[in-house]
């Protein structure tokens, strides 16, 4: 970073300049700067939801595009995610208090036998950023964990993640159990993870395979819009 | 003086280096495509991950195989598996254009989500079965059978032990951001070194890698596992 860039004083920037700078700071994974930027915007009277969507979510959207296009790689995305998570830490209680719009509720977890959670954590965070309530079950989840959580939480969406070819078939175990209990169609089931593809998602009876966190958010929004439409029509 | 800038650098990185077996350099296998002439007459081409070059050459030598040529893609593709299928397709088509008909792909699925299999089917070539190289070194059945007990295992082979700094420490950004360690490895409990060779110095490197990741070290001698069968079958 050059001296000139080091000299940027966030509090002296206009709102537009500050938001642009926060996009850059997210891109560079600068957690402290994001915390400072969030606090400045809140002090200036911005609604928490506006800070979230215009500064953080939009910044992560840019990160997501450059990750998809091979300009950014996993380490940079994780640092950006860390910075966004820090900003979300300030905003979450405020969002709850101010009644920000809610998209729906998702239960998400990595399947039994699998400890990998980088992708799942990114999806959780991006879904929260997009206005979903997220209940994260963590790693190594047997079918009972999923079933219990979606029923208890009255979830709209079930998300399952796996990184191993040996563990991804377990997603079908969960979906089959949902069918056996007659609750499959009460939920949108999204699946993701490196060894999966669209064909696999279809074959196990998921609603959609999501190749990355940005796709997961867009897919979840589409399904929620369909649900709302169907409920109105019904 | 101008040196061609970014475009020339990109072109240089994608140009294959030709290296005879005795002169292989791991750093180049990690980073660049490498062509390895073995026999004067080429009946069969092996398109492989650079991380497997030494092991394939050892199998060829031990079994006295002939008529093979080995062309490797950079082992760093391991960190970008989405690029592997098309890189392999390009190699296959390039080889066909040079009149080579018999081609075998020495890549596991390697996190390509089945896309590498799609490419192999479309191009009419066979690849070695398995989800990852460590699975076929260990033996697919044995590897699958231990999956539950070794849920927290991070596997490395000899090549990854030698190239730990390039492929993992730097490749995953841990040199610049050590705090990423917990995001990557919080749920792992051990490094399992699947050893192809008996080399105490390499074992020490692998153990050091485990220490740096804060994980327990386990060594398991596998030899070349099912890679041997595949290479021998490819040569006939």
């Amino acid at each position: 970073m050059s001296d000139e860039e080091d000299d940027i004083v966030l509090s002296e920037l206009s709102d537009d300049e500050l938001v642009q700078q926060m996009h850059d700071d997210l891109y560079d994974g600068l957690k402290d700067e994001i915390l400072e930027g969030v606090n400045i915007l809140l002090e200036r009277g911005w609604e928490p939801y506006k800070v979230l969507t215009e500064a953080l979510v939009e910044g992560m959207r840019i990160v997501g595009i450059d990750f998809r296009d091979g300009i950014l790689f996993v380490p940079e995305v994780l640092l950006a995610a860390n910075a966004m998570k820090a900003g979300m830490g300030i905003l979450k209680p405020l969002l709850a208090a101010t009644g920000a719009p809610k998209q729906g509720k998702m239960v998400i977890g990595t399947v039994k036998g699998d400890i990998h959670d980088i992708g799942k954590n990114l999806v959780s965070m991006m879904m929260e950023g997009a206005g979903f309530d997220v209940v994260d079950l963590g790693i190594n989840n047997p079918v009972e964990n999923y079933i219990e959580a979606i029923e208890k939480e009255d979830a709209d969406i079930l998300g399952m993640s796996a990184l191993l070819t040996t563990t991804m078939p377990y997603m079908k175990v969960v979906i089959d159990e949902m069918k056996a209990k007659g609750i499959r169609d009460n939920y949108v089931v999204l699946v993701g993870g490196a060894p999966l593809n669209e064909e696999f998602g279809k074959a196990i009876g998921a609603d959609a395979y999501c190749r990355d966190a940005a796709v997961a958010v867009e897919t979840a929004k589409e399904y929620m819009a369909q649900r709302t439409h169907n409920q109105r029509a019904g | 003086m101008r040196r061609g800038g970014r475009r020339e650098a990109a072109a240089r990185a994608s140009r294959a280096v030709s290296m005879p077996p005795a002169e292989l350099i791991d750093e180049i296998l990690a980073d660049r495509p490498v062509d390895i002439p073995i026999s004067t007459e080429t009946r069969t081409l092996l398109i492989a991950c650079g991380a497997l070059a030494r092991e394939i050459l050892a199998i060829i030598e031990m079994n006295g195989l002939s008529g093979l040529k080995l062309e490797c893609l950079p082992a760093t593709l391991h960190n970008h598996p989405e690029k592997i299928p098309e890189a392999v397709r390009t190699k296959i088509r390039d080889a066909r254009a040079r009149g080579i008909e018999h081609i075998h792909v020495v890549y596991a699925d390697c996190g390509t989500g089945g896309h590498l299999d799609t490419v192999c089917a479309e191009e009419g070539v066979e690849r070695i079965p398995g989800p990852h190289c460590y699975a076929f070194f260990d033996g697919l059945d044995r590897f699958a059978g231990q999956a539950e007990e070794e849920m927290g295992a991070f596997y490395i082979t000899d090549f990854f032990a030698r190239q730990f700094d390039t492929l993992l420490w730097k490749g995953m950004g841990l040199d610049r951001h050590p705090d990423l360690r917990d995001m990557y490895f919080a749920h792992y409990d051990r490094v399992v070194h699947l050893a192809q060779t008996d080399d105490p110095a390499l074992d020490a490197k692998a153990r050091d890698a485990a220490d740096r990741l804060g994980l327990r070290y386990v060594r398991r001698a596998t030899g070349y596992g099912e890679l041997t069968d595949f290479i021998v079958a490819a040569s006939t």
Side-chain angles (χ1 to χ4, degrees), chain B residues 155-189:
Chain B
Y155 296 99
I156 60 173
T157 61
D158 282 0
F159 184 87
F160 281 87
R162 285 194 302 270
Q163 287 298 303
F164 178 77
D165 274 309
T166 301
L167 290 173
L168 201 129
W169 202 251
K170 291 177 190 158
M172 298 305 279
L174 288 164
D175 56 333
R176 305 178 301 283
H177 306 288
D179 47 320
L180 287 176
R181 183 264 167 213
D182 285 348
M183 291 185 84
Y184 292 131
F185 293 103
H187 303 301
Y188 286 95
D189 58 18

Side-chain angles (χ1 to χ4, degrees), chain B residues 34-36 45-48 69-73 91 98:
Chain B
V34 178
D35 292 352
I36 306 167
L45 173 66
L46 304 171
I47 296 173
K69 184 170 192 254
L70 177 58
E71 294 186 3
C72 293
L73 288 163
K91 273 276 180 200
R98 285 180 278 139

Side-chain angles (χ1 to χ4, degrees), chain A:
Chain A
M1 195 182 275
S2 71
D3 289 345
E4 192 183 335
E5 284 167 325
D6 277 340
D7 286 336
I8 291 173
V9 178
L10 296 181
S11 59
E12 292 175 358
L13 300 179
S14 70
D15 285 5
D16 284 350
E17 288 169 340
L18 177 55
V19 167
Q20 288 298 320
Q21 187 58 44
M22 287 174 73
H23 294 170
D24 287 347
D25 289 346
L26 254 185
Y27 197 92
D28 293 335
L30 302 177
K31 185 167 79 173
D32 292 343
E33 285 76 358
I34 288 298
L35 285 171
E36 189 185 346
V38 166
N39 282 323
I40 291 169
L41 289 174
L42 290 171
E43 283 161 15
R44 289 181 187 176
W46 278 45
E47 288 293 320
Y49 182 69
K50 187 173 159 74
V51 178
L52 174 71
T53 52
E54 294 186 19
L56 299 188
V57 172
E58 175 58 16
M60 276 307 282
R61 191 185 68 82
I62 297 165
V63 170
I65 290 169
D66 278 8
F67 177 61
R68 184 194 65 200
D69 293 346
I71 298 166
L72 290 180
F73 299 115
V74 171
E76 290 82 18
V77 174
L78 289 183
L79 290 167
N82 249 352
M84 173 154 173
K85 193 174 171 188
M88 292 271 287
I90 299 174
L91 294 175
K92 253 174 107 168
L94 302 175
L95 288 164
T98 52
K102 281 291 168 197
Q103 296 269 2
K105 195 172 208 179
M106 178 189 222
V107 164
I108 189 170
T110 304
V111 297
K112 186 180 173 187
D114 204 322
I115 60 163
H116 300 92
D117 63 355
I118 290 176
K120 171 190 69 68
N121 292 345
L122 283 173
V123 171
S124 292
M125 201 190 61
M126 293 297 283
M127 291 289 289
E128 281 190 339
F132 285 85
D133 278 329
V134 177
V135 178
D136 190 336
L137 303 178
I139 57 170
N140 189 25
N141 284 287
V143 60
E144 305 83 52
N145 288 13
Y146 289 113
I147 302 288
E148 187 187 327
I150 53 176
E151 291 187 324
K152 183 177 149 206
E153 300 289 344
D154 192 22
D156 302 291
I157 300 169
L158 171 62
M160 289 187 282
S161 171
L163 191 82
L164 303 173
T165 49
T166 47
T167 56
M168 65 188 210
Y170 195 79
M171 294 175 176
K172 185 170 186 304
V173 173
V174 177
I175 292 172
D176 286 349
E177 180 63 16
M178 291 168 75
K179 285 180 185 165
K181 291 174 77 76
I183 59 171
R184 166 65 185 87
D185 293 338
N186 299 347
Y187 305 94
V188 174
V189 178
L190 305 181
V191 296
L196 279 68
N197 56 33
E198 277 190 42
E199 294 74 36
F200 177 80
K202 278 184 198 149
I204 62 168
D207 289 297
Y209 154 75
C210 305
R211 75 167 184 277
D212 60 32
V215 172
V217 169
E218 288 313 308
T219 308
K221 280 183 180 172
E222 283 168 21
Y223 274 100
M224 291 313 295
Q226 277 177 30
R227 283 194 143 201
T228 308
H229 175 80
N230 292 344
Q231 280 162 3
R232 281 187 188 142

